[in-house]
């Protein structure tokens, strides 16, 4: 079951923000006007965790230009997707998170499909998001969702403390039909 965030479910919003596995790095290449990539897998996989950003979740409730959708399974919050209508007519995905116990069960795909519907309802041209080259599992997922690399930013994280300062931002796009 996927629902738009409402006041009743505000208490569940942070429950899906959990560590995720990092297993390698995506290595992008731009040749003849087309992005491609290879992968490097690490001998010793690890985990990564993002601290929850301070934000007023209530400003997403009923806002025509912003949305949070939450997926519930077995009575628990299994995942969330956070979106806003960007200036360039893309629905920008600020965050997609799936609780550890519900990963690889279609929750992320269901949330992405909801994001596509939200974008279509607003007359937006597609979806966009940014992730890091070390979030290889997410990059594979976005490709599976039909997204493609549209840009790479090698400087976005340079002012962050190690090891984040060595990460590369990968921008993914999906054009709605």
């Amino acid at each position: 079951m996927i629902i738009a965030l409402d006041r009743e479910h505000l208490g569940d919003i942070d429950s899906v923000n959990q560590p995720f596995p990092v297993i390698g790095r995506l290595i992008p290449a731009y040749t003849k006007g087309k992005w491609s990539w290879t992968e490097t897998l690490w001998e010793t996989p690890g985990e990564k965790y993002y601290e929850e950003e301070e934000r007023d979740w209530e400003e997403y409730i009923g806002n025509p230009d912003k949305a949070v959708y939450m997926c519930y399974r077995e009575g628990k919050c299994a995942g969330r997707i956070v979106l806003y209508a960007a200036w360039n007519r893309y629905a920008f995905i600020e965050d997609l998170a799936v609780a550890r116990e519900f990963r690889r069960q279609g929750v992320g795909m269901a949330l992405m499909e909801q994001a596509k519907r939200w974008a279509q309802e607003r007359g937006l041209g597609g979806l966009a998001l940014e992730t890091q080259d070390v979030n290889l599992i997410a990059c594979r997922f976005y490709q599976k969702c039909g997204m493609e690399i549209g840009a790479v930013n090698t400087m976005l994280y340079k002012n962050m403390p190690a090891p984040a300062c060595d990460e590369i931002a990968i921008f993914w796009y999906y054009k709605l039909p």
Side-chain angles (χ1 to χ4, degrees):
M1 175 176 78
I2 294 180
I3 64 161
L5 178 64
D6 56 25
R7 284 177 180 78
E8 178 184 341
H9 294 91
L10 276 171
D12 294 336
I13 196 80
D14 295 335
S15 66
V16 296
N17 186 26
Q18 300 171 358
F20 57 92
V22 287
I23 62 167
R25 185 180 295 267
L26 179 137
I27 303 167
Y30 190 70
T31 309
K32 296 182 181 177
K34 182 111 176 106
W35 286 102
S36 63
W37 72 84
T38 55
E39 298 177 358
T40 297
L41 298 179
W42 295 327
E43 282 186 37
T44 307
E47 281 193 331
K48 190 169 180 170
Y49 176 75
Y50 294 117
E51 294 290 329
E52 194 64 56
E53 294 178 30
E54 282 293 319
R55 59 177 115 187
D56 180 5
W57 290 111
E58 289 201 28
E59 77 179 41
Y60 289 81
I61 299 172
N63 187 328
D65 296 323
K66 294 182 177 187
V68 176
Y69 288 96
M70 300 170 70
C71 180
Y72 284 84
R73 297 260 172 101
E74 303 168 16
K76 298 177 185 174
C77 185
R80 73 169 185 216
I81 193 164
V82 182
L83 324 154
Y84 68 88
W87 63 271
N88 58 357
R89 296 190 15 80
Y90 279 94
F92 195 86
I93 299 170
E94 293 181 76
D95 185 42
L96 173 63
V98 176
R100 187 184 312 245
E101 69 182 283
F102 294 103
R103 293 178 186 158
R104 303 185 60 83
Q105 297 178 30
V107 171
M109 192 64 75
L111 289 166
M112 290 294 284
E113 290 301 315
Q114 178 61 47
K116 290 175 186 177
R117 286 190 293 276
W118 186 84
Q120 284 176 323
E121 290 168 3
R122 279 148 187 79
L124 301 174
L127 305 176
L129 62 85
E130 179 270 326
T131 192
Q132 301 76 39
D133 61 337
V134 297
N135 197 348
L136 185 55
I137 292 172
C139 291
R140 290 174 178 173
F141 171 74
Y142 299 135
Q143 182 193 28
K144 186 178 175 183
C145 291
M147 300 186 90
E148 59 185 85
I149 296 174
V152 172
N153 185 334
T154 61
M155 297 300 292
L156 191 63
Y157 298 107
K158 288 298 182 199
N159 288 330
M160 301 294 290
C165 62
D166 294 326
E167 294 177 4
I168 294 172
I170 311 290
F171 290 83
W172 293 86
Y173 294 85
Y174 175 84
K175 288 283 291 170
L176 287 167

